[in-house]
């Protein structure tokens, strides 16, 4: 057997360069490169290997390990899970900084390969710098924290273990149902140890990404159920976009007269003005979709994990005998709510159900079509109203969303993740195409915005990337502005400053408590509480110090002008926009389950509890086991 003597780290680099995916005849490198931050736990291992053999695996230096995972994951999302990055970190804090990013990847079902450094397998110098010693086991390190947030986890204690571990890691990364964070912990001594690897280990490997079909019995049952449906409704999730199933979805909706509503991850699956797009559904949904959902008799959930925002915490669907059909690559999702499970690819599945339904002769029902249309007209007017609302003090968040949306072109991307913005964007942003709306709302991780926006730009440099970020998220993590500078990549950041964590302050007050601890205020010396004046921050100066061009916009004219100038810039821009912290976009006949204290001495809390208990009466347990 022909062998080649390499260190573990050298073997990993060489192996990663040879991994490809292929779908619909198109082949792509699985790894676009490797992100990293070096320390003693990886610089002489993977660092050395990247120098010696990494010309084919570009190295990107990030500012923060959590951020680099967000960047990698955003890239993978833009690439429909067919390409991603590897991320290398040092041992200890560098490694655990990636845990949050890993959880975000796994929740969103997006692939990323994490290679944290680990403590010496030999144990000879223990405890090594940054080692957490476990009192009852020497077989535990902080990297065990990755186990519950990873879809595959391994630790390489002997070089030859790579031969079995890496292929498994690739299988999971490329499996559309299983994918998420994959973690391979690499003890720092083992990274540098050599082994005679079989040369065949480093030959090119192409992973075919199949378009699996659901079982034919289930497909027929789904068609039969849909034949009898008077008020069917499709929920489009991220799976529609990852599967590139937009055309199949549009054809399905049109052929049978079934409205489509959207989740955060599915927004853009159909253009906002498609005749059958009823807009967003659920807790942050709009009028049209929420009214349709309340009365729907058959829900067709495609590529969605039916999170609580989509289902309005199980209160969105109120028809007595509402049934679910769930088409998903992941069986966990296909079986939720007692659904008729269609385990398979969204595009292949939609086409197959469509064929079965056409054979049964389903026709669109004109009266339902009319009802959908008039609801959509009403909803579009509500959106216009919010976007144009006038407040004397400052622009509202809704105004800013409207203005950025109007200014951006169809191929541009809006990026967001946490705070009040995602909900308002879901309601008010008009997405033109599947890749134009990128909101991470699986983990809704503050700090994803700028790091993720960078990944979006890396995935498609032709697009303008508009990152909309709240002041709280910005303060949590913004230093990847520097990485954008380093890589000569342009991102446009629109920072909406409302003096703190206003969406959480809103939740707090809705639960009957006085507002405290969410705004950015000095501690008052007399009361001892955080109720002094607001702490002024010069966000523009902050971004400028990292190399961004900055503008401040306090009204519509200034914001339009700033957007225009930002579009003309070649580098990163931050537009600072103070917004009215009291202006809120309302909810539209929906609810989100956030618990309220059962006992309290405060009347406000007692009243909120009563309202909460009443609201919870709409919460349903969906489980239908009998056949249609
Ligand atoms: C990492 C992380 N920590 C905490 C939270 C909980 N959280 C959600 S939104 C939010 C406040 C965000 O503030 P900002 O970005 O200013 O947005 P705003 O609420 O003002 O719209 C917090 C603390 C979170 N989503 N992510
Ligand atoms: Mg804020």
């Amino acid at each position: 057997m022909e062998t080649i003597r390499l260190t573990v780290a050298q073997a990993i680099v060489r192996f990663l360069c040879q991994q490809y995916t292929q779908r619909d005849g198109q082949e792509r490198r699985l790894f676009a490169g490797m992100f990293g931050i070096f320390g003693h736990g990886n610089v002489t291992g993977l660092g050395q290997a990247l120098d010696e053999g990494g010309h084919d695996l570009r190295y990107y230096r990030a500012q923060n390990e959590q951020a680099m995972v967000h960047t990698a994951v955003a890239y993978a999302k833009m690439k429909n899970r067919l390409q991603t990055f590897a991320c290398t970190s040092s041992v200890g804090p560098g490694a655990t900084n990636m845990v949050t990013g890993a959880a975000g990847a796994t929740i969103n079902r997006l692939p990323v390969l994490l290679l944290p450094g680990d403590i010496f397998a030999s144990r000879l110098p223990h405890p090594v710098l940054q080692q957490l010693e476990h009192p009852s086991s020497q077989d535990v390190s902080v990297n065990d924290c990755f186990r519950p947030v990873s879809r595959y986890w391994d630790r390489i204690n002997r070089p030859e273990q790579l031969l079995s571990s890496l292929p498994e890691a690739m299988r999971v990364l490329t499996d559309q149902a299983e994918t998420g964070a994959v973690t391979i912990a690499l003890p720092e001594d083992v990274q540098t140890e050599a082994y005679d690897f079989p040369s065949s280990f480093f030959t090119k490997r192409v992973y075919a990404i199949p378009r699996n079909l659901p079982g034919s019995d289930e497909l027929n049952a789904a068609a039969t159920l849909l034949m009898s449906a008077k008020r069917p409704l499709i929920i489009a999730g991220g799976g529609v976009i990852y599967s590139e199933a937009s055309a199949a979805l549009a054809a399905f909706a049109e052929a049978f007269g079934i409205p489509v509503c959207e989740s955060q991850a599915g927004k853009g699956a159909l253009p906002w003005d498609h005749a059958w797009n009823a807009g967003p559904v659920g807790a942050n949904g709009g009028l049209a979709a929420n009214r349709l959902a309340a009365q729907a008799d058959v829900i067709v959930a495609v590529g969605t994990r039916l999170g609580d925002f989509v289902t309005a915490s199980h209160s969105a669907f109120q028809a007595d005998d509402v049934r679910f059909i769930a088409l998903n690559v992941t069986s966990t999702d296909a079986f939720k709510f007692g659904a008729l499970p269609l385990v398979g690819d969204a595009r292949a599945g939609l086409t197959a159900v469509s064929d079965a339904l056409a054979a049964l002769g389903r026709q669109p029902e004109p009266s339902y079509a009319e009802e959908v249309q008039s609801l959509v007209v009403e909803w579009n007017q509500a959106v216009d109203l919010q976007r144009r609302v006038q407040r004397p003090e400052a622009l509202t968040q809704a105004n800013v969303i409207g203005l950025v949306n109007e200014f951006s072109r169809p191929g541009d991307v809006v990026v967001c993740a946490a705070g009040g913005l995602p909900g308002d964007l879901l309601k008010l942003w008009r997405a033109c195409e599947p890749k134009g709306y990128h909101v991470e709302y699986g983990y809704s991780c503050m700090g994803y915005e700028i790091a993720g926006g960078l990944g979006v730009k890396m995935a498609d440099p032709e697009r303008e990337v508009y990152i909309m970020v709240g002041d709280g998220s910005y303060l949590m993590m913004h230093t990847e502005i520097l990485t954008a500078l380093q890589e000569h990549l342009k991102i446009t950041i629109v920072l909406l400053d409302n003096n703190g964590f206003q969406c959480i302050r809103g939740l707090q007050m809705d639960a009957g408590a006085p507002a405290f601890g969410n705004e950015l205020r000095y501690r008052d010396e007399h009361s001892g509480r955080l109720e002094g004046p607001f702490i002024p921050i010069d966000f523009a100066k902050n971004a400028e110090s990292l190399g961004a061009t900055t503008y401040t916009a306090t009204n519509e004219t200034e914001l339009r002008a700033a957007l225009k100038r930002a579009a003309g810039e070649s580098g990163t821009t931050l537009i600072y926009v103070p917004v009215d912290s009291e202006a809120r976009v309302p909810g539209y006949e929906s609810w989100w389950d956030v618990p309220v204290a059962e006992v309290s001495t405060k009347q406000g809390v007692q009243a909120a509890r009563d309202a909460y208990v009443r609201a919870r009466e709409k919460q349903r347990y969906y489980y239908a086991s009998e056949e249609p």
Side-chain angles (χ1 to χ4, degrees):
M1 182 175 65
E2 200 185 318
T3 60
I4 174 162
R5 192 161 177 79
L6 296 169
T7 68
V8 162
Q10 291 161 0
I12 291 171
V13 168
R14 187 177 281 237
F15 179 90
L16 296 185
C17 292
Q18 296 300 328
Q19 308 303 306
Y20 291 77
T21 59
Q22 189 197 60
R23 187 167 76 180
D24 305 331
Q26 201 185 336
E27 200 172 281
R28 303 166 176 88
R29 282 278 296 270
L30 176 55
F31 296 100
M34 190 179 295
F35 268 96
I37 290 183
F38 291 140
H40 67 92
N42 62 341
V43 71
T44 56
L46 269 170
Q48 190 281 332
L50 282 162
D51 167 60
E52 195 164 301
H55 15 272
D56 219 13
L57 194 72
R58 183 177 279 192
Y59 180 70
Y60 296 85
R61 177 198 177 282
Q63 317 305 319
N64 174 300
E65 291 89 355
Q66 178 186 323
M68 76 191 180
V69 182
H70 292 326
T71 304
V73 166
Y75 181 94
K77 183 175 165 96
M78 278 300 280
K79 296 289 189 183
N80 292 328
R81 316 199 271 214
L82 302 170
Q83 291 184 278
T84 184
F85 280 87
C87 296
T88 170
S89 80
S90 190
V91 65
T96 49
N97 266 358
M98 296 201 293
V99 173
T100 297
T106 297
I107 283 192
N108 287 293
R109 288 104 202 262
L110 291 165
V112 66
L113 176 62
L114 306 179
L115 303 170
D118 211 330
I119 54 176
F120 281 72
S122 75
R123 300 179 181 166
L124 289 173
H126 280 185
V128 67
L129 176 71
Q130 301 171 322
Q131 175 175 350
L132 183 148
E133 291 167 275
H134 199 284
S136 62
S137 171
Q138 294 199 47
D139 192 31
V140 172
S141 82
V142 292
N143 285 338
D144 289 81
C145 293
F146 284 96
R147 287 178 189 264
V149 294
S150 299
R151 299 309 302 267
Y152 175 79
W153 185 98
D154 203 359
R155 178 181 282 130
I156 302 299
N157 284 312
R158 296 169 60 97
E160 58 270 41
Q161 289 175 342
L162 274 189
L163 295 170
S164 59
S165 189
L166 284 178
E168 277 301 287
M170 299 306 115
R171 176 185 64 74
V172 173
L173 282 171
T174 58
D175 183 322
Q176 300 297 285
E178 282 194 43
T179 197
V182 162
T183 303
I184 301 185
L186 299 169
E188 51 185 284
D189 51 346
V190 180
Q191 284 183 50
T192 64
E193 285 169 14
Y195 180 74
D196 294 310
F197 289 95
S199 304
S200 60
F201 190 55
F202 304 107
T203 52
K204 181 176 172 180
R205 177 75 204 253
V206 184
Y207 290 82
I209 310 297
R211 292 191 176 277
N212 289 335
L213 270 176
S216 57
D217 287 353
E218 285 76 16
L219 284 169
N220 289 331
T224 308
L225 182 55
L226 278 169
M227 269 314 280
S228 66
K230 297 269 178 293
R231 306 183 60 85
L233 176 67
I234 299 169
I235 304 175
V240 175
I241 294 178
Y242 302 144
S243 157
E244 298 171 271
S246 289
L249 176 64
F252 189 85
E254 290 159 17
F256 308 112
I258 307 182
V260 177
C261 59
E262 53 199 9
S263 73
Q264 283 279 11
K267 191 175 171 82
L270 292 186
W272 73 277
D273 54 357
H274 185 278
W276 286 100
N277 189 347
V281 73
N284 280 328
L287 271 180
N290 283 349
R291 287 189 183 159
L292 289 169
Q295 293 186 55
D297 54 0
V298 176
I299 303 290
V300 187
V302 188
T304 166
R305 62 193 194 102
L306 294 166
D308 66 347
F309 268 89
V310 166
T311 69
S313 305
H314 294 215
S315 73
F317 318 110
Q318 288 294 326
D320 274 346
D321 42 10
V322 58
R323 292 290 312 264
F324 293 82
I325 297 168
L327 168 58
N328 209 296
V329 281
T330 310
S331 64
T332 320
D333 293 328
F335 278 80
K336 281 176 182 164
F337 293 2
L340 205 160
L342 301 180
V343 182
D345 171 70
R347 189 160 105 187
L350 277 169
T351 310
V353 180
S354 184
D355 291 346
L357 206 47
L360 295 179
R362 185 180 166 97
Q363 296 289 328
E365 168 56 45
S367 65
Y368 193 41
E370 263 169 44
E371 183 185 338
V372 171
Q373 208 188 4
S374 77
L375 282 170
V376 167
V377 167
E378 191 184 348
W379 169 236
N380 284 334
Q381 285 166 352
V383 171
D384 284 332
L385 201 71
Q386 285 301 320
R387 285 166 53 142
R388 294 201 198 115
V389 80
Q390 298 269 346
R391 299 270 290 196
E393 297 81 15
L395 286 170
T396 66
Q397 188 156 284
N399 296 154
V400 179
I401 290 172
L403 289 165
V404 176
N405 196 178
E406 261 173 43
F407 183 83
S408 65
R409 299 161 311 176
D412 299 343
V413 191
V414 65
V415 181
C416 191
L421 269 165
D424 290 357
L425 282 165
L426 183 69
K427 290 172 195 161
L428 306 181
W429 187 272
R430 289 171 167 160
C432 300
E433 48 106 19
K435 287 294 161 201
Y437 183 86
H438 183 118
V439 176
E440 188 281 291
Y441 214 62
Y443 210 37
S444 188
C445 185
M446 289 171 74
Y448 176 91
E449 297 86 348
I450 293 173
L454 178 63
V456 170
K457 186 69 178 176
M458 290 174 84
D460 200 344
E462 296 302 307
R463 295 173 186 260
E464 291 283 342
V465 177
Y466 291 96
I467 296 163
M468 298 193 69
V469 60
D471 55 306
S473 274
Y474 180 87
L475 287 175
M476 200 172 274
M477 196 185 289
H478 57 263
T479 46
E480 298 313 306
I481 289 175
L482 271 174
T483 315
L485 193 73
Q486 163 191 294
E487 299 301 328
H488 310 288
L489 289 168
K490 174 192 178 181
I491 48 181
T492 300
I493 301 162
V494 182
L495 192 161
L496 289 85
D497 181 11
N498 56 13
N499 290 307
F501 305 155
Q502 291 297 345
C503 74
I504 307 298
R505 179 171 170 263
L507 284 181
Q508 183 174 48
M509 293 191 301
D510 289 350
F516 81 97
N518 281 305
E519 291 182 313
L520 196 61
R521 293 177 180 274
Y522 290 105
R523 187 171 298 284
D524 183 84
E525 285 178 19
H526 298 293
S527 70
R529 293 163 174 258
L530 294 172
E531 56 189 21
F534 286 121
I535 302 176
I537 301 172
D538 194 332
F539 285 99
K541 237 184 212 163
N542 177 283
E544 205 179 299
S545 75
L546 300 175
T549 304
T550 61
Y551 304 99
T552 294
T554 59
N555 57 41
E556 187 176 326
T557 315
E558 286 174 6
L559 181 52
R560 283 186 202 277
L563 286 164
K564 198 165 171 197
R565 291 178 68 181
E569 293 286 345
S570 57
T572 289
T573 303
L574 179 135
I575 304 174
Y576 172 72
V577 193
V579 291
D580 186 333
S581 59
E582 302 302 328
R584 281 210 257 167
V585 177
Y588 294 92
E589 301 182 8
S590 198
W591 178 66
W592 184 37
D593 190 344
V594 180
V596 180
E598 194 168 354
V599 292
S600 168
T601 54
K602 300 197 174 181
Q603 270 186 356
V605 178
Q606 291 162 4
R609 175 72 192 186
D610 290 345
Y612 173 69
V613 170
R614 278 196 303 279
R616 232 172 40 180
E617 284 165 11
K618 281 184 80 177
Q619 201 160 39
R620 298 272 311 270
Y621 173 64
Y622 303 112
Y623 186 74
S625 54
E626 54 327 332
E627 286 306 308

